Amino acid sequence: MKDATPEQAMDLSQLEKPVLELEAQIRAMEMDPSQSKEREKLEKKLEKLKAELFTNLTDWQRAQLARHPKRPYTLDYLERICERFEELHGDRRFGDDAAIVAGMGWIEGNPVMVIGQQKGRDTKQKILRNFGMPKPEGYRKALRLMKLAEKFQRPVLCLIDTPGAYPGVDAEERGQAEAIARNLLEMAKLEVPVVAVVLGEGGSGGALALGVADRVLMMENAIYSVISPEGCASILWKDASQAPKAAAALKLTAPHLLELGIIDGIVKEPLGGAHSNFDAAAAALKEAVVEAFSELSELSAEQLVEERYQKFARMGSVG
Amino acid sequence: MSWFVKKRQQKTAVEEKTVRVPEGLWIKCEACKELIYRKELVNTHNVCPKCGYHFRIGVEERLENLMDEGWTTLFSELRSGDPLGFVSTKSYKDQLKKLEQAGETEDAVVVVEGTLSGQPVVTAVMNFDFLAASMGSVVGEKLRLGAERALEKQCPYLIVSCSGGARMQEGTLSLMQMAKVSAALAKLDKAGLPYLSILTDPTTGGVSASYAMLGDLNIAEPKALIGFAGPRVIEQTIKQSLPEGFQRSEFLQTHGMVDKVVTRDHLKDFIAACLAWMTPSPRD
Ligand SMILES: [Zn+2]
């Protein structure tokens, strides 16, 4: 990706502004048939504008898209990619964490265990979902259900969208680090296919705890990083406002991570970002997920585990 | 074999079932205290139309709710002994004899084999009317044999629990039934067969601390009392009154012990979906 020039470093809200204005203008014309010609012209203009604005996004703008308040979340995708989804609750240890939703899904008739981090849309939902930050009971629920999938020979789909694992007193008391660590170990030996997709934010260990998969994909405007741009900026530049610079330095967007061999593929989003068209984003996700599972379909359990090991063994830069 | 195929399957349909209604025209709901016209309960699977309270139902009705027609009852020949010669205000032997004379020949659990939405299953249903569905040697042995039968048939196993706990009259032998049934479930687990635990009101004591909590999925009816120690025992011990909803199904779901609270009218459909998800389907 390019370095952030002042113009490109512009905030996403500024970037989106002309698009939103044009969209409002078009909507206003919809009532009046006499303006249909003019409307068509504006629609063409909108497409062109979107193509200009969204094809050369900076890493920082992508990071903002990844965290866009209107971005589709796990449940938005699940209702579009599963014919049926039955949520299951609890870690059988302590609690049920609403920041992770999991359950039995059917995708094109195939039973799949689906596990995803869930953010909230309004204030009440945000609090219920703890802003998408799971606690140990969330990771332990995820693991319990992965083991259930293994027992019944069902593939596992993990959808990642979290700012990070919850940093709190109670989470530490119950062993946040152990819960994440355990998932890494158990996912490495899971004897069924695992596909993980970073939907929006892949926040560090809290994301990786669902991310040890045979195929790891990212939505086009998702990010996956060891630390947030703001966190990085305040540590290294002692200034959180340097986040755009940090975003570029961390190489946290899908194209960079594909190049680094950390992910296996990118799921194309509709022009304007996933939030501009949930159905189109979900259709693209579904196609990619079905394709990934199909590729893994004929591998034995031993092959899956060995290839998964080799895949992660290759990661790292040693001179 | 393949893990995943691009092909569509049909969902199983819910079957219509008739519900028996006890005698008498009106009944008072235990939860909301409203009077309900009994006939209304026919359409609601014995669920209060005013507040959703799930009335306790008998074994026959439970089986009619869950199973397809034409199940076979297993292990009916088993009878309880009186290993301790137990006598309290009355003798255990006399209690058992009276129950037998009253036609209660199944002890506190009925085990059947049949199909659920077309899928072969072994299903056990506990009977609260028989000594509060306490778990003695016959309950333990029938449940063990039920697991063995599922293993033989390579089919899923369902236990619909409700129980006051272990049967005191059989002393430590009843305690050992917890270990016996759990050991049989371990065999099923090892064989990769599904075991679903359905928890109904009330499931407490040794039953909750063994097979009722060991399901691949633990499914509870709404507002059922589920817990190890009974609420009265806890209150006496801690000398405090317990909060509303404590040890109820929803509380257990919040605390991670129950996979899902499912209303009675959706129970069969939900179980059928679970079994379809868990049972290997013939692959292309
Ligand atoms: Zn009521």
Side-chain angles (χ1 to χ4, degrees), chain B residues 29 31-34 36 48 50-53:
Chain B
C29 173
C32 68
K33 316 288 177 206
E34 294 269 346
I36 306 153
C48 171
K50 305 250 162 54
C51 75
Y53 175 78

Side-chain angles (χ1 to χ4, degrees), chain A residues 83-97 103-114 144-145 148-149 151-155 191-193 286 289-291 293-294 296-301 304, chain B residues 1-9 11-12 185 188-195 213-219 252-261 266 269-270 272-281 283-284:
Chain A
E83 298 96 73
R84 182 171 183 173
F85 174 68
E86 293 288 354
E87 188 176 356
L88 301 171
H89 298 271
D91 64 348
R92 301 271 174 96
R93 294 288 178 272
F94 173 81
D96 180 48
D97 188 350
M104 301 174 292
W106 283 262
I107 301 175
E108 295 202 344
N110 294 273
V112 174
M113 181 60 79
V114 193
R144 176 176 79 85
L145 294 174
L148 193 79
K151 174 172 176 181
F152 297 113
Q153 304 283 289
R154 299 309 187 203
E191 296 193 339
V192 292
K286 181 173 177 174
V289 164
V290 167
E291 190 51 43
F293 278 129
S294 307
L296 300 166
S297 186
E298 301 305 322
L299 298 180
S300 70
L304 285 168
Chain B
M1 80 156 203
S2 60
W3 299 100
F4 192 96
V5 284
K6 294 185 188 179
K7 189 182 165 228
R8 290 189 188 275
Q9 289 171 351
K11 275 185 216 160
T12 44
L185 292 176
L188 273 189
D189 186 47
K190 203 170 173 211
L193 292 169
Y195 161 52
M213 278 295 156
L214 293 175
D216 287 309
L217 298 179
N218 294 337
I219 302 158
L252 274 96
Q253 184 179 303
T254 308
H255 287 83
M257 301 303 152
V258 158
D259 283 276
K260 197 173 187 110
V261 177
H266 288 115
D269 174 60
F270 181 70
C274 294
L275 295 181
W277 193 91
M278 292 171 170
T279 314
S281 42
R283 286 177 169 139
D284 300 16

Side-chain angles (χ1 to χ4, degrees), chain B residues 133-154:
Chain B
S134 57
M135 174 182 49
S137 302
V138 173
V139 170
E141 183 63 3
K142 276 195 186 180
L143 291 177
R144 181 187 76 82
L145 290 171
E148 293 277 0
R149 184 77 186 119
L151 205 55
E152 219 173 275
K153 291 177 57 164
Q154 290 286 297

Side-chain angles (χ1 to χ4, degrees), chain B residues 87 104 152 161 195 242 280:
Chain B
V87 181
E104 295 280 0
E152 219 173 275
S161 287
Y195 161 52
L242 296 165

Side-chain angles (χ1 to χ4, degrees), chain A residues 7-27:
Chain A
E7 192 195 7
Q8 284 168 328
M10 151 163 97
D11 254 32
L12 186 69
S13 55
Q14 292 163 271
L15 184 83
E16 273 192 310
K17 211 173 154 202
V19 174
L20 295 176
E21 278 169 3
L22 206 49
E23 277 173 349
Q25 228 177 318
I26 292 168
R27 258 198 311 277

Side-chain angles (χ1 to χ4, degrees), chain B residues 157-177:
Chain B
Y157 192 29
L158 268 59
I159 301 179
V160 183
S161 287
C162 72
S163 176
R167 192 172 295 172
M168 288 175 290
Q169 294 91 327
E170 296 185 24
T172 314
L173 284 169
S174 72
L175 182 70
M176 293 307 133
Q177 304 311 307

